[in-house]
Structures are given as structure tokens and as C-alpha cells.
Amino acid sequence: MTSPFRQNPVFRFAPSPNGPLHLGHALSAFLNHDMAVAQGGLFLLRIEDIDLMRCTPAFEQGIYQDLRWLGLTWEEPVRRQSEHFFEYRAALDRFIDMGLVYPAFMSRGEIKAFVSEYESAGQSWPRDPDGAPLYPPLDKERDPQEVKALLASGAKHAWRLNMERALAQLSDPLVWLELGQGSETSIEADPAAWGDVVLSRSDAPSSYHLSVVIDDALQGVTKVVRGLDLFHATSMHRLLQALLDLPVPEYHHHRLILGPDGRKLSKSEGSTGLTVLRDAGCTPSDVRRFVGL
Ligand code: GLU
């Protein structure tokens, strides 16, 4: 539900500290910051560090340094997701109570083996918009007593959304307002394309999809400006917002900065790293120019 009260827009840039920022991040940060300034809104910075294995304090410090160098300022305090696991857990508990999630015990290797066995018969197994195979239905079909015993034995598991049941909760089609296509466009969400997504990982008490919708709501974010690589994720976010009765921001998915190979930049791509550019003598205005602003 959108708030009936007019409010100043709230933007956020939400990097994960699992590598150095590159030109793609700079574009996202500039766009969010510049729109916030132009619209008299707030610019928030959120550190998405639920992956405790890959995120490091050094990368987090690098984010602050790079953004400061670019001349950006943001609201304090910065929200760090690793300090809010209990909030994500509370949302997961709601899903457990609603019977919309189930413990998923298959490892990556087991999923892969299931898919290759299925595909060896000549038919392809469905993939999600990121190209990952949809989760096999085996855990959903387990006997409840067996599930109980597995949980009691401490078997490693994630919590996955039961997509079929989740969709059955909806009375209206899910849409979002997309501002990144020149004019305002209403986009129909297709969460089913994601299958039974993980809401709580086996190695972290949340997931990207769950924590991002909780945080956007808790922080009062009204405009989500992020790369087109997350366009399809918005379908999932709309579903979670509907199930948890959260407010719905407007979305603006912006163009991506591509590397020389025509692919989206990755954090290991040294030559486009902001720190590397700074050390090579580039200025923040050079960076604006490099990202086409
Ligand atoms: N943390 C995500 C990333 O680094 C961005 C999430 C978002 O903007 O929704 O790609």
C-alpha cells in the first residue's frame, strides 16, 4: 500500500562490502544522490552485509572512502544489515506461522545432480531469471515427521518460500511503477519465475530478497534506483511486500556500465575500481564523465 501522505522522496544506495566499488556502483550512487538532491529528498546509504563470509570491514571502509571521494554525503547512521538479523528472523517467523516457507535441505551439489539427472532424459529443467535452476520439489513433498526429525538432528537447511502457496494468497495481480524507461510504466510482476526462493540461507539468518524488502520498508524508502540487473528481482520483492503488507516504493532500474567484453562489471575488474582510478590521478568529474553523466 502506498502512503496516502505526501512525503519527501527517500533514496538509497545499498552496496555489499564484498569487493571494491567500481564504475557501475558510481553510476548508481550518483543517480540516487543527484535525484535526492534535485527532488529535495533524502539519500541513504545501506551496507548489505548479510554474507558474513564474503563481506569484510576493509571493503566497508573502502565504500565510505570511495563515496566521500566522489563528493557524496548521506544520512547517518548508516544501516548495516548484519546488525538487524533479528528483524529478518521475525519476518521469517511470520512466514513460518503462515505456512508459506519450508526447510530446504538440498546442497548446491545435490541440486546440480538432480538437474543433470532430469536433463539427461532430454528435457531441460526450468531456470530462474538469473539462470539458476529452480529448486526441486523434493523437500516440499517430505513427510512432516521426517522434516521434524531432520530439524531435530540439526541438519543444515535454508528456508524457502513455497511459491505456489504464496501466489495463492494474492487477490490482485502484482505490479510496480517503473520510472527507468523514459515514461512511467506499470510493470506486471512475475514472481513465479523465481520458484521457491531462499528467504533465509543456511549460512546467514536472512537472504538478499528478504532483507532488502524489510529494510526498504523500515527505512521509508520511496524510490529504489538500482541497476537493470535487478529488474527481475523486483517481481520477487513485490511478492514479499504483498505477503508482509509492506509499503511499495517506486522503482527506477538504470542502464548498466559494461566492461570491454560487453558484460556487466564485476568486483574483481581492477581497471574500473574507484580506488584504482583515484590512485591513477582521476578526479570525481572524470568518474562522472566515464559513467556518462
Ligand atoms: N546489495 C545489492 C548489490 O550490491 C544491491 C541491492 C539493491 O539495490 O536492491 O548489488
Side-chain angles (χ1 to χ4, degrees):
M1 232 191 318
T2 317
S3 163
F5 303 105
R6 261 190 87 79
Q7 50 188 154
N8 287 340
V10 179
F11 293 81
R12 93 302 196 267
F13 174 56
S16 295
N18 56 12
L21 296 189
H22 53 58
L23 287 175
H25 296 105
L27 174 62
S28 224
F30 278 140
L31 287 174
N32 273 287
H33 176 267
D34 294 357
M35 288 186 203
V37 170
Q39 298 175 31
L42 297 178
F43 173 60
L44 312 183
L45 173 61
R46 182 165 78 223
I47 300 295
E48 301 213 325
D49 58 350
I50 59 167
D51 189 336
L52 300 173
M53 302 302 284
R54 294 175 61 222
C55 295
T56 69
F59 286 136
E60 183 178 337
Q61 290 312 313
I63 290 173
Y64 302 134
Q65 247 173 27
D66 287 343
L67 296 179
R68 260 187 231 118
W69 172 63
L70 290 178
L72 306 186
T73 52
W74 51 88
E75 302 297 315
E76 297 283 356
V78 168
R79 184 173 172 93
R80 301 173 69 243
Q81 291 189 325
S82 57
E83 293 169 355
H84 296 274
F85 282 134
F86 64 97
E87 281 154 292
Y88 314 132
R89 177 68 215 193
L92 177 69
D93 287 340
R94 276 183 69 186
F95 281 120
I96 294 175
D97 290 346
M98 291 190 271
L100 295 184
V101 286
Y102 62 90
F105 300 97
M106 288 174 84
S107 65
R108 255 172 226 247
E110 287 167 334
I111 300 172
K112 217 170 150 189
F114 171 93
V115 171
S116 32
E117 184 173 338
Y118 181 91
E119 295 191 332
S120 66
Q123 260 191 317
S124 61
W125 182 256
R127 302 287 199 280
D128 72 19
D130 285 346
L134 298 197
Y135 194 66
L138 308 179
D139 283 323
K140 245 186 326 204
E141 291 162 0
R142 272 183 209 277
D143 177 75
Q145 287 309 319
E146 190 194 345
V147 173
K148 242 186 175 167
L150 277 169
L151 290 177
S153 74
K156 204 170 158 184
H157 62 280
W159 286 91
R160 286 184 178 262
L161 185 68
N162 184 322
M163 181 55 74
E164 216 179 320
R165 285 198 199 162
L167 293 175
Q169 305 281 312
L170 303 176
S171 38
D172 301 314
L174 288 176
V175 293
W176 80 81
L177 191 65
E178 174 63 47
L179 307 175
Q181 300 183 347
S183 56
E184 293 187 3
T185 318
S186 174
I187 306 280
E188 188 156 344
D190 177 21
W194 289 98
D196 292 358
V197 286
V198 172
L199 292 193
S200 182
R201 295 161 45 152
S202 58
D203 60 354
S206 189
S207 69
Y208 161 63
H209 293 305
L210 183 61
S211 35
V212 89
V213 295
I214 304 267
D215 285 356
D216 284 340
L218 281 174
Q219 296 191 285
V221 171
T222 60
K223 309 257 186 188
V224 172
V225 179
R226 61 186 177 193
L228 270 168
D229 51 332
L230 291 169
F231 184 86
H232 293 291
T234 305
S235 284
M236 206 40 235
H237 300 170
R238 284 296 296 108
L239 175 60
L240 297 180
Q241 287 156 353
L243 296 172
L244 293 170
D245 201 18
L246 300 175
V248 182
E250 295 172 352
Y251 289 88
H252 178 139
H253 294 94
H254 61 73
R255 66 191 160 83
L256 299 175
I257 305 284
L258 304 178
D261 57 358
R263 297 167 63 131
K264 170 171 108 87
L265 296 181
S266 79
K267 288 201 167 147
S268 50
E269 214 126 14
S271 60
T272 61
L274 299 184
T275 310
V276 175
L277 293 171
R278 180 176 66 221
D279 291 349
C282 293
T283 65
S285 359
D286 291 332
V287 176
R288 279 194 179 261
R289 205 160 31 81
F290 295 156
V291 299
L293 291 179

